[in-house]
Amino acid sequence: MADTKDTKRGLSRRTLLKTTAATAGALVGSRAITGFPAIIAAEPVTLRYLGTAVNQSADIARKAKEDLGIIIEYVPVTTDEVTKRIVTQPNSFDLVDSEYFSLKKLLPSGNLQGMDAKRIKYVDQISTVFTKGELNGKTIGDQGTAPKKVFYLPEKNGKTFAAEPTEWITLIPTTYNADTLGIRPDLIGRPVESWKELLNPEFKGKASILNIPSIGIMDAAMVVESAGLHTYADKGNMTKEEIDLTMKVLTEAKQAGQFRAFWQDFNESVNLMASGETVIQSMWSPAVTKVRSMGIACTFQPLKEGYRAWASGFGLPKTLKDRKLDAAYDFINWFLSGWAGAYLNRQGYYSAVLDTAKANMEPYEWAYWMEGKPAEKDIKAPDGTVMEKAGAVRDGGSYDQRMGSVACWNAVMDENDYMVRKWNAFIAA
């Protein structure tokens, strides 16, 4: 943990730092020392944390400052802007929270340094979903950019991915989840079991799909495949012909009036569902939880074809060194030590190191969020808001059920530019 204690002396790390700082100040005042390293060491380090607003939390920043003395300065931008900053302005941040699927675009720039596994305290406890692409010894779906494909580097400054585990890691996981469709069960009134329902004419004018091309087309591929129209070798890396086929299916549905909207952000998806303008749509787990917290029926629907998964992680710019590099490792180790993991789990995300998060959650919380058991007590969000009443069961069941049913991962295709052009033409059609 961040504030480990020497049990023999009862001295915590923070107490030691404070004592060191006070002593340094006294010595400077007496002119006993003439250099400045001790003074600099007493000053808090500020880390500029680049990422999307979804993964940035004032509570986490506050707790990190309390436990470590490190100041987190958030730099919130869009997913595309994160990529752009890494490639063009590696000096503009000290720590980045990026998605694994972006790594194929990021690594060739040489602007990220490999992370030294020997400096990551909990590296051996990171979920095998990342390190091996399996869960409880069972291989899970790896179409698209499965983290295991891009987790390791051959060397610290490598620009390609290593096929086998090494001591250099691309990103240390922050949050991940398995996504599916959200539905309004009160307005649909029957079971929904397949991705193909998104294009069912029964929901004409009441359906919506995510308008982020590289993710939206994956949802579309799940629909196309579940409808028996095509089987993809890799939904996350389509050929031009497969892109054309997928977009043709979507465009025909759009022209028939199937879609109410094409949402791009969390709040937009919540509003569409809460208002009843849509009854079935691409959706993220926390957005479904948000709708339910408003007292409106909404289900994050398990589907027989499985889930589309995504994952984000911490990366370090190649320019980071000295005290800031040390502080970044301290923060990442703190992040994995349990408090932040428990905080994220309570939002419906999953944390990289499950054991430490479990130690920071109440048994009934862990049972609800991670084991798929009925809530023994009301389930509360990190801010204390009641999210679920006692007796509720989490949609999709346990962590093992949900992550064990992953079919594909968010990805950047080899034909990405072509795909984006085709997607934009579909939106404009």
Side-chain angles (χ1 to χ4, degrees):
M1 297 297 287
D3 200 16
T4 51
K5 294 187 176 181
D6 182 326
T7 52
K8 291 181 181 177
R9 299 178 181 80
L11 188 66
S12 75
R13 182 166 175 247
R14 288 175 64 208
T15 304
L16 181 63
L17 289 172
K18 289 175 181 175
T19 305
T20 304
T23 305
L27 289 171
V28 170
S30 66
R31 297 173 187 255
I33 57 174
T34 54
F36 296 100
I39 306 173
I40 294 171
E43 295 173 356
V45 177
T46 296
L47 293 177
R48 296 166 297 168
Y49 178 136
L50 176 70
T52 62
V54 171
N55 285 1
Q56 298 181 347
S57 160
D59 290 335
I60 288 176
R62 195 158 40 242
K63 184 65 173 170
K65 186 178 181 184
E66 179 185 315
D67 287 357
L68 302 173
I70 293 172
I71 297 169
I72 299 297
E73 182 183 287
Y74 287 125
V75 184
V77 296
T78 63
T79 299
D80 288 344
E81 185 63 23
V82 170
T83 300
K84 195 179 299 181
R85 289 276 192 107
I86 293 171
V87 173
T88 64
Q89 301 176 57
N91 284 318
S92 68
F93 61 93
D94 305 309
L95 183 71
V96 63
D97 192 345
S98 181
E99 296 203 45
Y100 279 84
F101 79 79
S102 298
L103 282 169
K104 286 185 179 180
K105 291 190 287 187
L106 300 176
L107 210 59
S109 73
N111 286 344
L112 291 177
Q113 60 176 287
M115 302 180 71
D116 188 348
K118 295 193 296 294
R119 297 190 67 177
I120 304 298
K121 181 177 179 181
Y122 301 96
V123 69
D124 292 333
Q125 292 172 257
I126 291 174
S127 172
T128 53
V129 165
F130 290 85
T131 56
K132 298 180 180 180
E134 62 183 40
L135 196 54
N136 300 323
K138 175 194 168 192
T139 300
I140 60 176
D142 68 349
Q143 288 191 20
T145 308
K148 72 168 187 179
K149 297 178 182 178
V150 295
F151 200 76
Y152 296 104
L153 297 172
E155 56 193 2
K156 181 178 180 180
N157 297 312
K159 294 184 179 181
T160 57
F161 303 105
E164 300 295 329
T166 71
E167 67 178 278
W168 301 106
I169 295 171
T170 53
L171 302 175
I172 295 295
T174 50
T175 57
Y176 56 108
N177 212 330
D179 286 345
T180 181
L181 297 176
I183 68 166
R184 283 286 302 269
D186 56 327
L187 300 180
I188 291 178
R190 66 169 178 80
V192 170
E193 299 176 345
S194 172
W195 278 86
K196 67 183 180 182
E197 294 276 22
L198 188 67
L199 296 190
N200 189 328
E202 178 185 340
F203 308 126
K204 180 178 178 179
K206 295 278 188 176
S208 178
I209 197 167
L210 174 61
N211 185 16
I212 297 176
S214 59
I215 305 175
I217 197 167
M218 298 284 279
D219 284 357
M222 293 294 284
V223 172
V224 168
E225 201 165 80
S226 68
L229 300 175
H230 180 71
T231 299
Y232 302 84
D234 185 346
K235 285 182 278 293
N237 199 17
M238 300 180 195
T239 63
K240 285 185 175 179
E241 291 73 22
E242 287 177 324
I243 293 168
D244 288 345
L245 180 151
T246 308
M247 300 319 300
K248 180 174 183 287
V249 172
L250 279 188
T251 302
E252 287 175 355
K254 183 186 179 187
Q255 290 173 338
Q258 184 69 12
F259 300 111
R260 171 65 183 84
F262 305 96
W263 63 266
Q264 287 186 300
D265 67 50
F266 178 94
N267 290 328
E268 198 175 357
S269 72
V270 169
N271 293 338
L272 284 167
M273 217 57 165
S275 66
E277 290 181 62
T278 61
V279 298
I280 185 168
Q281 65 177 28
S282 302
M283 213 160 179
W284 298 331
S285 178
V288 171
T289 303
K290 176 68 174 176
V291 175
R292 285 222 287 258
S293 73
M294 299 160 68
I296 299 167
C298 192
T299 301
F300 193 62
Q301 185 62 48
L303 301 170
K304 62 184 179 183
E305 298 87 10
Y307 295 84
R308 172 187 52 75
W310 59 270
S312 296
F314 285 130
L316 302 177
K318 66 175 182 181
T319 50
L320 200 68
K321 58 185 179 180
D322 303 331
R323 284 186 68 231
K324 285 218 171 189
L325 180 61
D326 292 341
Y329 275 109
D330 283 346
F331 176 72
I332 291 167
N333 281 322
W334 172 84
F335 197 93
L336 298 178
S337 71
W339 189 92
Y343 183 95
L344 294 166
N345 286 352
R346 291 186 188 104
Q347 290 182 304
Y349 297 117
Y350 292 128
S351 53
V353 181
L354 300 181
D355 290 344
T356 57
K358 183 177 182 178
N360 281 265
M361 298 176 77
E362 295 293 334
Y364 78 89
E365 291 182 300
W366 182 263
Y368 171 80
W369 287 113
M370 305 301 291
E371 295 176 343
K373 295 178 180 177
E376 292 180 11
K377 303 178 184 178
D378 288 353
I379 298 296
K380 296 180 180 179
D383 65 1
T385 305
V386 174
M387 302 172 78
E388 298 287 358
K389 293 290 187 180
V393 177
R394 184 176 185 181
D395 295 332
S398 69
Y399 173 85
D400 289 357
Q401 285 173 305
R402 204 191 275 199
M403 292 309 301
S405 299
V406 166
C408 59
W409 295 80
N410 286 359
V412 174
M413 302 182 187
D414 293 341
E415 296 291 352
N416 182 66
D417 291 346
Y418 182 80
M419 182 276 293
V420 171
R421 286 200 304 274
K422 288 292 184 177
W423 181 272
N424 291 336
F426 153 66
I427 295 296

